[in-house]
Amino acid sequence: MKLYATILALALVASTALGQWSADPPTPNTITIGAPSVPIAPGPSVQLSVAGLTDDELKNVVLSVNPAVGAIVLKTRDWDGRATLTFGAVVPGKYTVTLTLFPDNEWRVGASDALLRARDVRMGPELLAKFDANNAAFVKELETKFPFKRGAAVVEVAGVVPFPPGPTPTPIPPGPVTEGKRNIVILREAGEAPPELARLITAIRTGPVTQRKKEKGHNLAILDDDLPESQQWVALLAGVKMPAVIITDPKVSGSSAVLFRGELPATDAALLELIKTYGG
Amino acid sequence: MPLVIDNEFVDVDFTKQPQFVFGDLGAARFRDGPVFEDAVPLIDERQWKSEIEKIDAGGGHIERLVTRIYNQKSEGSCVSNATGQAHEICQAIQYGKENVIPLSAISLYKRCGRSPGSGSMLSDNLDEISEVGILPLDTPENKARFAATMPNTGFYTSYPANWKDTAALFKGVERFDIRSVAGLVSASLRGFPIVVGRQGHSICYVRPIYRNGSIAFVYANSWSVDWGFAAGDFDGGFGLDSLSTVRQSASWAFALRSVTAPQLAA
């Protein structure tokens, strides 16, 4: 059984590899966990393959990418019935792709659950401490007898070519913009959560932008790019660096509904001015 | 409303509070969800203070996005209440406070606990809200809009017919297990609501602060607005954990980043 995950729109170069799994012969744009380093030709996609494991083992495999790209962790059970998985775009840099095998995982979880369920019985602090100490000792013994197996590959993003970087605002339509209700969607990358964006979102949701939204009846959504409901906006924001904002006129259909698309301004005051500029 | 910390609600020993009902059973150790410390870069401890000062200067953090203080009453459903709180904060981020759809904690707890007082595990609540979802609260607005709703309390309340179809509208999407104080601080600075457990009780961390020279967390409790100090839009309902207490919470915690909810489809 082979499983593949496709990272969309990446060009990666494998630099080192660790681990104990045998590998299929590498194919162009394919990184195999546990295989020797293989240069990856730039291209629109990269496949990750897992080989050398039994079907039972594959049920307990977790594949993670650090720093995160799109989907943070892939569990093989999520791959059932699918040949590929699509990730979001990532920024250039070094990434560690880690494959972890949890042998007898379900049994271990069950044993741990059973121990923790026993805490349902109310105990005094002293008894509880002894219980937890015994529990910890048992868990440590489990880990010694059944160590997790890991394999990893360090990959380097040599270039990202999903879309041209930078803002690509749509010019203001000729003539005065008619004021009215607006749909405003802010799109942020899943896994990307800088503190300044968190502060900006709180300011947007509690300050003048929200006041304006209520007064004018606008819709304002702040969405991760991997949510199903985001996909229509992801398509419209192609070519714009995230976090991005799109302003549309709900009374107009088709592509002419888009009044603005571009990078999210750095402050809520600037966003408010942008909304006003485009008739909101 | 400015944050006014009442010392009576700092480092509270939950077990000595009259509202306490044992409810947090911790978390399964080997569930294979994404671990925050592995998936998201931690923020250097040297940056914590300056980042928190920026939050203070901005007038607060996601406690301002809390739209409801839960009341679990006499049931051990604290973990489900804290999980619902985290989902509602994510709704407020995504769709605005005015569009938050209040949720039924008991619709989650019934699948994670075995009796009104059994309590439940954080990991079970996280798995259930991620895989099955949670029902909306039985407010008049929600009853008119959704086929299935439930109250916030009442363990023996039956599920409505076809409830899973409605629950599937309200799921957690991007979520992380948190294993350390550094993970808690980093996740909170990045704006994630965090469900934690300690002393048999569960709460939702909503704002990191510096107090007496060290890190501390403001949390939303589920003991109604009659308990705790004021924060955000509420006269009560909030407490504070200083670092020594935060350390107890660091081994049982998860954060939500994004959720599904049907606001845009309305």
Side-chain angles (χ1 to χ4, degrees):
Chain A
M1 179 176 177
K2 292 180 181 176
L3 295 171
Y4 296 97
T6 299
I7 300 181
L8 181 67
L10 297 182
L12 301 178
V13 175
S15 57
T16 62
L18 305 168
Q20 54 188 298
W21 285 282
S22 61
D24 284 348
T27 55
N29 283 1
T30 298
I31 299 166
T32 302
I33 300 293
S37 302
V38 178
I40 303 300
S45 68
V46 164
Q47 292 182 325
L48 298 182
S49 75
V50 178
L53 300 180
T54 67
D55 285 357
D56 282 345
E57 286 174 325
L58 281 168
K59 290 174 186 172
N60 292 325
V61 162
V62 170
L63 184 67
S64 62
V65 183
N66 186 28
V69 289
I72 305 300
V73 167
L74 304 174
K75 295 183 288 188
T76 51
R77 64 172 178 247
D78 295 336
W79 298 356
D80 287 348
R82 288 198 274 177
T84 62
L85 271 179
T86 302
F87 292 67
V90 299
V91 296
K94 272 193 175 179
Y95 294 81
T96 302
V97 180
T98 304
L99 184 149
T100 304
L101 172 64
F102 297 83
D104 302 319
N105 190 47
E106 294 305 316
W107 178 81
R108 290 159 60 104
V109 169
S112 179
D113 273 355
L115 286 169
L116 290 164
R117 293 283 184 193
R119 296 187 79 196
D120 193 7
V121 180
R122 295 194 184 198
M123 306 180 211
E126 189 178 343
L127 189 56
L128 190 62
K130 286 182 180 176
F131 177 87
D132 284 343
N134 288 336
N135 188 351
F138 180 69
V139 169
K140 191 172 181 181
E141 188 180 341
L142 279 180
E143 288 178 347
T144 304
K145 288 183 177 175
F146 303 99
F148 293 166
K149 298 176 185 174
R150 289 173 180 271
V154 178
V155 297
E156 187 167 349
V157 178
V160 180
V161 288
F163 306 114
T168 53
T170 302
I172 300 174
V177 176
T178 305
E179 280 198 18
K181 182 177 177 178
R182 295 287 179 263
N183 286 338
I184 305 150
V185 176
I186 294 168
L187 214 60
R188 57 182 185 174
E189 279 186 284
E192 283 289 312
E196 55 270 25
L197 180 58
R199 292 194 298 272
L200 176 57
I201 288 172
T202 301
I204 290 170
R205 286 304 189 193
T206 57
V209 171
T210 286
Q211 186 63 36
R212 179 84 174 181
K213 167 189 173 298
K214 290 177 182 173
E215 289 170 2
K216 299 293 183 180
H218 302 326
N219 293 316
L220 170 57
I222 301 173
L223 303 173
D224 278 6
D225 62 353
D226 62 345
L227 290 173
E229 67 203 71
S230 301
Q231 297 318 301
Q232 59 180 313
W233 309 110
V234 170
L236 288 170
L237 284 164
V240 179
K241 183 181 173 187
M242 282 194 267
V245 60
I246 184 166
I247 301 173
T248 63
D249 183 344
K251 290 182 178 174
V252 178
S253 59
S255 58
S256 57
V258 178
L259 301 174
F260 174 84
R261 65 187 187 103
E263 286 185 37
L264 178 66
T267 67
D268 60 324
L271 176 63
L272 179 61
E273 287 309 308
L274 184 71
I275 293 168
K276 288 178 179 177
T277 300
Y278 287 91
Chain B
M1 186 173 294
L3 187 63
V4 181
I5 295 168
D6 181 341
N7 285 332
E8 182 185 348
F9 301 103
V10 175
D11 293 335
V12 171
D13 182 345
F14 291 133
T15 63
K16 293 179 178 168
Q17 296 290 298
Q19 296 90 342
F20 177 72
V21 181
F22 184 82
D24 168 36
L25 296 174
R29 283 174 166 77
F30 300 112
R31 294 294 165 94
D32 47 4
V35 175
F36 182 85
E37 287 85 345
D38 294 338
V40 181
L42 295 177
I43 296 171
D44 192 306
E45 186 171 349
R46 290 168 294 187
Q47 293 177 258
W48 292 357
K49 192 169 186 182
S50 64
E51 293 292 345
I52 287 172
E53 285 171 352
K54 291 173 189 169
I55 289 173
D56 295 342
H61 202 40
I62 61 171
E63 84 281 4
R64 301 168 69 194
L65 300 177
V66 171
T67 53
R68 165 191 177 201
I69 296 296
Y70 277 70
N71 187 356
Q72 65 184 88
K73 297 184 179 174
S74 58
E75 292 176 319
S77 58
C78 53
V79 183
S80 303
N81 280 262
T83 305
Q85 179 67 264
H87 192 291
E88 289 184 16
I89 291 171
C90 288
Q91 285 189 55
I93 289 169
Q94 293 177 199
Y95 308 107
K97 292 166 68 177
E98 62 280 7
N99 294 316
V100 170
I101 296 169
L103 303 172
S104 160
I106 207 67
S107 74
L108 183 61
Y109 179 65
K110 275 174 70 74
R111 286 170 274 150
C112 305
R114 287 179 288 105
S115 70
S118 69
S120 60
M121 300 176 75
L122 269 74
S123 49
D124 286 347
N125 280 265
L126 181 56
D127 287 344
E128 281 294 323
I129 202 167
S130 300
E131 293 167 13
V132 181
I134 183 171
L135 283 178
L137 187 67
D138 60 350
T139 62
E141 296 79 12
N142 284 347
K143 282 181 175 177
R145 187 173 169 191
F146 300 105
T149 62
M150 284 187 76
N152 198 61
T153 58
F155 182 83
Y156 295 110
T157 306
S158 299
Y159 280 115
N162 302 318
W163 66 273
K164 285 187 178 179
D165 294 341
T166 303
L169 300 172
F170 300 90
K171 288 185 177 180
V173 178
E174 195 175 6
R175 33 70 69 98
F176 304 93
D177 299 342
I178 296 178
R179 306 275 171 82
S180 65
V181 171
L184 286 174
V185 176
S186 296
S188 190
L189 287 172
R190 293 178 188 280
F192 302 174
I194 304 166
V195 178
V196 306
R198 63 173 174 88
Q199 296 174 324
H201 186 54
S202 181
I203 49 186
C204 183
Y205 281 177
V206 292
R207 178 175 173 182
I209 67 168
Y210 255 86
R211 189 167 187 268
N212 300 327
S214 67
I215 200 84
F217 279 96
V218 176
Y219 61 82
N221 201 349
S222 53
W223 288 345
S224 88
V225 292
D226 296 333
W227 184 96
F229 55 74
D233 294 343
F234 295 91
D235 294 332
F238 294 85
L240 186 95
D241 280 355
S242 64
L243 183 57
S244 60
T245 315
V246 168
R247 287 198 176 103
Q248 296 177 40
S249 303
S251 56
W252 310 111
F254 68 81
L256 276 184
R257 165 92 194 290
S258 64
V259 299
T260 60
Q263 278 87 346
L264 282 187

